[in-house]
Coordinates of all heavy atoms in Angstrom, one line a residue:
V1 N -8.5 -120.2 -111.7 CA -7.8 -121.5 -111.5 C -6.3 -121.3 -111.1 O -5.8 -122.0 -110.2 CB -7.8 -122.2 -112.9 CG1 -7.0 -123.5 -112.8 CG2 -9.3 -122.6 -113.2
G2 N -5.7 -120.3 -111.6 CA -4.3 -120.0 -111.2 C -4.1 -119.6 -109.8 O -3.3 -120.1 -109.0
A3 N -5.0 -118.7 -109.3 CA -4.9 -118.1 -108.0 C -5.4 -119.2 -107.0 O -4.6 -119.5 -106.0 CB -5.7 -116.8 -107.8
F4 N -6.6 -119.6 -107.1 CA -7.1 -120.6 -106.2 C -6.5 -122.0 -106.3 O -6.3 -122.6 -105.3 CB -8.7 -120.6 -106.3 CG -9.4 -119.3 -106.0 CD1 -10.4 -118.9 -106.8 CD2 -9.0 -118.6 -104.9 CE1 -11.1 -117.7 -106.4 CE2 -9.6 -117.4 -104.6 CZ -10.7 -116.9 -105.4
G5 N -6.3 -122.4 -107.5 CA -5.7 -123.7 -107.7 C -4.3 -123.8 -107.1 O -3.9 -124.7 -106.5
G6 N -3.5 -122.7 -107.5 CA -2.2 -122.7 -106.9 C -2.1 -122.6 -105.4 O -1.3 -123.2 -104.7
G7 N -3.1 -121.7 -104.9 CA -3.2 -121.6 -103.4 C -3.5 -123.0 -102.8 O -3.0 -123.3 -101.7
L8 N -4.4 -123.7 -103.4 CA -4.8 -125.0 -102.9 C -3.6 -126.0 -102.9 O -3.4 -126.8 -102.0 CB -5.9 -125.6 -103.6 CG -7.3 -125.0 -103.4 CD1 -8.4 -125.6 -104.3 CD2 -7.7 -125.1 -101.9
L9 N -2.7 -125.9 -103.9 CA -1.5 -126.7 -104.0 C -0.6 -126.4 -102.8 O -0.1 -127.3 -102.1 CB -0.8 -126.5 -105.3 CG -1.3 -127.2 -106.5 CD1 -0.4 -126.8 -107.7 CD2 -1.4 -128.7 -106.4
V10 N -0.4 -125.2 -102.5 CA 0.4 -124.8 -101.4 C -0.2 -125.2 -100.0 O 0.5 -125.8 -99.2 CB 0.7 -123.3 -101.4 CG1 1.5 -122.9 -100.2 CG2 1.4 -122.8 -102.7
L11 N -1.5 -125.0 -99.9 CA -2.1 -125.4 -98.6 C -2.1 -126.9 -98.5 O -2.0 -127.5 -97.4 CB -3.6 -124.9 -98.6 CG -3.7 -123.4 -98.4 CD1 -5.2 -123.0 -98.5 CD2 -3.1 -122.9 -97.1
G12 N -2.3 -127.7 -99.6 CA -2.2 -129.1 -99.6 C -0.9 -129.6 -99.1 O -0.8 -130.5 -98.3
W13 N 0.2 -129.0 -99.6 CA 1.5 -129.4 -99.1 C 1.7 -129.0 -97.7 O 2.5 -129.6 -97.0 CB 2.6 -128.7 -100.0 CG 3.0 -129.4 -101.2 CD1 2.3 -129.4 -102.4 CD2 4.0 -130.3 -101.4 NE1 2.9 -130.2 -103.3 CE2 4.0 -130.8 -102.7 CE3 5.1 -130.8 -100.6 CZ2 4.9 -131.7 -103.2 CZ3 6.0 -131.7 -101.1 CH2 5.9 -132.1 -102.4
L14 N 1.0 -128.0 -97.2 CA 1.2 -127.6 -95.8 C 0.4 -128.5 -94.9 O 0.9 -128.9 -93.8 CB 0.6 -126.1 -95.7 CG 0.5 -125.6 -94.2 CD1 1.8 -125.5 -93.6 CD2 -0.2 -124.2 -94.3
L15 N -0.8 -128.9 -95.2 CA -1.7 -129.6 -94.3 C -1.6 -131.1 -94.4 O -1.7 -131.8 -93.4 CB -3.1 -129.1 -94.5 CG -3.4 -127.6 -94.2 CD1 -4.8 -127.3 -94.5 CD2 -3.0 -127.2 -92.8
L16 N -1.6 -131.6 -95.6 CA -1.7 -133.1 -95.8 C -0.5 -133.8 -95.1 O -0.8 -134.9 -94.5 CB -1.7 -133.4 -97.3 CG -3.0 -133.1 -98.0 CD1 -2.9 -133.5 -99.5 CD2 -4.2 -133.8 -97.4
P17 N 0.7 -133.3 -95.1 CA 1.7 -134.0 -94.3 C 1.4 -134.1 -92.8 O 1.9 -135.0 -92.1 CB 3.0 -133.3 -94.6 CG 2.8 -132.6 -95.9 CD 1.3 -132.3 -95.9
L18 N 0.7 -133.0 -92.3 CA 0.4 -133.0 -90.9 C -0.6 -134.0 -90.5 O -0.6 -134.5 -89.4 CB 0.0 -131.6 -90.5 CG 1.1 -130.5 -90.6 CD1 0.5 -129.1 -90.2 CD2 2.3 -130.8 -89.7
V19 N -1.6 -134.2 -91.4 CA -2.8 -135.0 -90.9 C -2.9 -136.4 -91.6 O -3.6 -137.2 -91.1 CB -4.1 -134.2 -91.3 CG1 -4.2 -132.9 -90.5 CG2 -4.2 -133.9 -92.8
F20 N -2.0 -136.6 -92.6 CA -2.2 -137.9 -93.2 C -0.9 -138.5 -93.7 O -0.3 -139.4 -93.2 CB -3.2 -137.9 -94.3 CG -3.5 -139.2 -94.9 CD1 -4.3 -140.1 -94.1 CD2 -3.1 -139.6 -96.2 CE1 -4.6 -141.4 -94.6 CE2 -3.4 -140.9 -96.6 CZ -4.1 -141.8 -95.9
F21 N -0.3 -137.9 -94.8 CA 0.7 -138.6 -95.6 C 2.1 -138.6 -94.9 O 2.9 -139.5 -95.0 CB 0.9 -137.9 -97.0 CG -0.3 -138.2 -97.8 CD1 -1.2 -137.2 -98.2 CD2 -0.6 -139.5 -98.3 CE1 -2.3 -137.5 -99.0 CE2 -1.6 -139.7 -99.2 CZ -2.5 -138.7 -99.5
G22 N 2.4 -137.5 -94.2 CA 3.7 -137.3 -93.6 C 4.7 -136.8 -94.7 O 4.3 -136.5 -95.8
V23 N 6.0 -136.7 -94.3 CA 7.0 -136.2 -95.3 C 8.0 -137.3 -95.4 O 8.3 -138.0 -94.5 CB 7.6 -134.9 -94.8 CG1 6.6 -133.8 -94.8 CG2 8.2 -135.0 -93.4
D24 N 8.6 -137.3 -96.6 CA 9.7 -138.2 -96.9 C 11.0 -137.9 -96.1 O 11.5 -136.8 -96.3 CB 9.9 -138.2 -98.4 CG 11.1 -139.2 -98.8 OD1 11.4 -140.0 -98.0 OD2 11.6 -139.0 -99.9
E25 N 11.4 -138.8 -95.2 CA 12.6 -138.6 -94.5 C 13.6 -139.6 -94.8 O 14.2 -140.2 -93.9 CB 12.3 -138.6 -92.9 CG 11.5 -137.4 -92.5 CD 12.4 -136.1 -92.4 OE1 13.6 -136.2 -92.8 OE2 11.9 -135.1 -91.9
T26 N 13.8 -139.9 -96.1 CA 14.9 -140.8 -96.5 C 16.2 -140.3 -96.0 O 17.1 -141.1 -95.5 CB 14.9 -140.9 -98.0 OG1 13.6 -141.4 -98.5 CG2 16.0 -141.9 -98.5
L27 N 16.4 -139.0 -96.1 CA 17.6 -138.3 -95.5 C 17.2 -137.7 -94.2 O 16.8 -136.5 -94.2 CB 18.2 -137.3 -96.5 CG 18.7 -137.9 -97.9 CD1 19.4 -136.8 -98.7 CD2 19.6 -139.1 -97.7
D28 N 17.2 -138.4 -93.2 CA 16.8 -137.9 -91.9 C 17.8 -136.8 -91.4 O 19.0 -137.1 -91.4 CB 16.7 -139.0 -90.9 CG 16.1 -138.5 -89.5 OD1 15.8 -137.3 -89.4 OD2 15.9 -139.4 -88.6
P29 N 17.4 -135.6 -91.1 CA 18.4 -134.6 -90.7 C 19.2 -135.0 -89.5 O 20.4 -134.6 -89.3 CB 17.5 -133.4 -90.4 CG 16.3 -133.5 -91.2 CD 16.1 -135.0 -91.2
A30 N 18.6 -135.9 -88.6 CA 19.4 -136.3 -87.4 C 20.6 -137.1 -87.8 O 21.6 -137.1 -87.0 CB 18.5 -137.1 -86.5
R31 N 20.6 -137.7 -89.0 CA 21.8 -138.5 -89.4 C 23.0 -137.6 -89.7 O 24.1 -138.1 -89.8 CB 21.5 -139.4 -90.6 CG 20.3 -140.3 -90.4 CD 20.6 -141.4 -89.3 NE 19.4 -142.2 -89.1 CZ 19.1 -143.2 -89.8 NH1 19.8 -143.6 -90.8 NH2 18.0 -143.9 -89.4
F32 N 22.8 -136.3 -89.9 CA 23.9 -135.4 -90.2 C 24.3 -134.6 -89.0 O 25.1 -133.7 -89.1 CB 23.4 -134.4 -91.3 CG 23.0 -135.1 -92.6 CD1 21.7 -135.4 -92.8 CD2 23.9 -135.4 -93.6 CE1 21.3 -136.0 -94.0 CE2 23.6 -136.0 -94.7 CZ 22.3 -136.3 -95.0
A33 N 23.8 -135.0 -87.8 CA 24.1 -134.2 -86.6 C 25.6 -134.1 -86.3 O 26.1 -133.1 -85.8 CB 23.3 -134.7 -85.4
L34 N 26.3 -135.2 -86.5 CA 27.8 -135.2 -86.2 C 28.7 -134.8 -87.3 O 29.9 -134.9 -87.2 CB 28.1 -136.7 -85.7 CG 27.3 -137.2 -84.5 CD1 27.8 -138.6 -84.1 CD2 27.5 -136.2 -83.3
L35 N 28.1 -134.5 -88.5 CA 29.0 -134.1 -89.6 C 29.2 -132.5 -89.6 O 28.3 -131.8 -89.3 CB 28.3 -134.5 -90.9 CG 28.1 -136.0 -91.1 CD1 27.4 -136.3 -92.4 CD2 29.4 -136.7 -91.0
P36 N 30.4 -132.1 -90.0 CA 30.7 -130.6 -89.9 C 30.1 -129.9 -91.1 O 30.8 -129.5 -92.0 CB 32.2 -130.6 -90.0 CG 32.6 -131.8 -90.7 CD 31.6 -132.9 -90.3
L37 N 28.7 -129.8 -91.2 CA 28.0 -129.2 -92.3 C 27.4 -127.9 -91.8 O 26.8 -127.8 -90.7 CB 26.9 -130.1 -92.8 CG 27.4 -131.4 -93.5 CD1 26.2 -132.3 -93.8 CD2 28.2 -131.1 -94.7
R38 N 27.6 -126.9 -92.6 CA 26.9 -125.6 -92.3 C 25.4 -125.8 -92.4 O 24.9 -126.6 -93.2 CB 27.4 -124.5 -93.2 CG 28.9 -124.2 -93.0 CD 29.2 -123.0 -93.9 NE 30.6 -122.6 -93.7 CZ 31.6 -123.1 -94.4 NH1 31.3 -123.9 -95.4 NH2 32.8 -122.7 -94.2
R39 N 24.6 -125.0 -91.7 CA 23.2 -125.1 -91.8 C 22.7 -124.8 -93.2 O 21.8 -125.4 -93.7 CB 22.5 -124.2 -90.8 CG 22.5 -124.7 -89.4 CD 21.6 -123.9 -88.5 NE 22.1 -122.5 -88.4 CZ 21.4 -121.5 -87.7 NH1 20.3 -121.8 -87.1 NH2 21.9 -120.3 -87.7
R40 N 23.3 -123.8 -93.8 CA 22.9 -123.4 -95.2 C 23.1 -124.6 -96.2 O 22.3 -124.9 -97.0 CB 23.7 -122.2 -95.7 CG 23.2 -121.7 -97.0 CD 23.9 -120.4 -97.4 NE 25.4 -120.6 -97.4 CZ 26.2 -119.6 -97.7 NH1 25.8 -118.4 -97.9 NH2 27.5 -119.8 -97.7
T41 N 24.3 -125.3 -96.0 CA 24.6 -126.4 -96.9 C 23.6 -127.5 -96.6 O 23.1 -128.2 -97.6 CB 26.0 -126.9 -96.6 OG1 26.9 -125.8 -96.9 CG2 26.3 -128.1 -97.5

């Protein structure tokens, strides 16, 4: 359960946004394009 169940969680987060749910972009990275923020920040 730990190995396969955890692996399925990771694969679910990888695949489901691509084919169905999408990802939450409340903070769209494009809105920060003109701000002097480092990439790491």
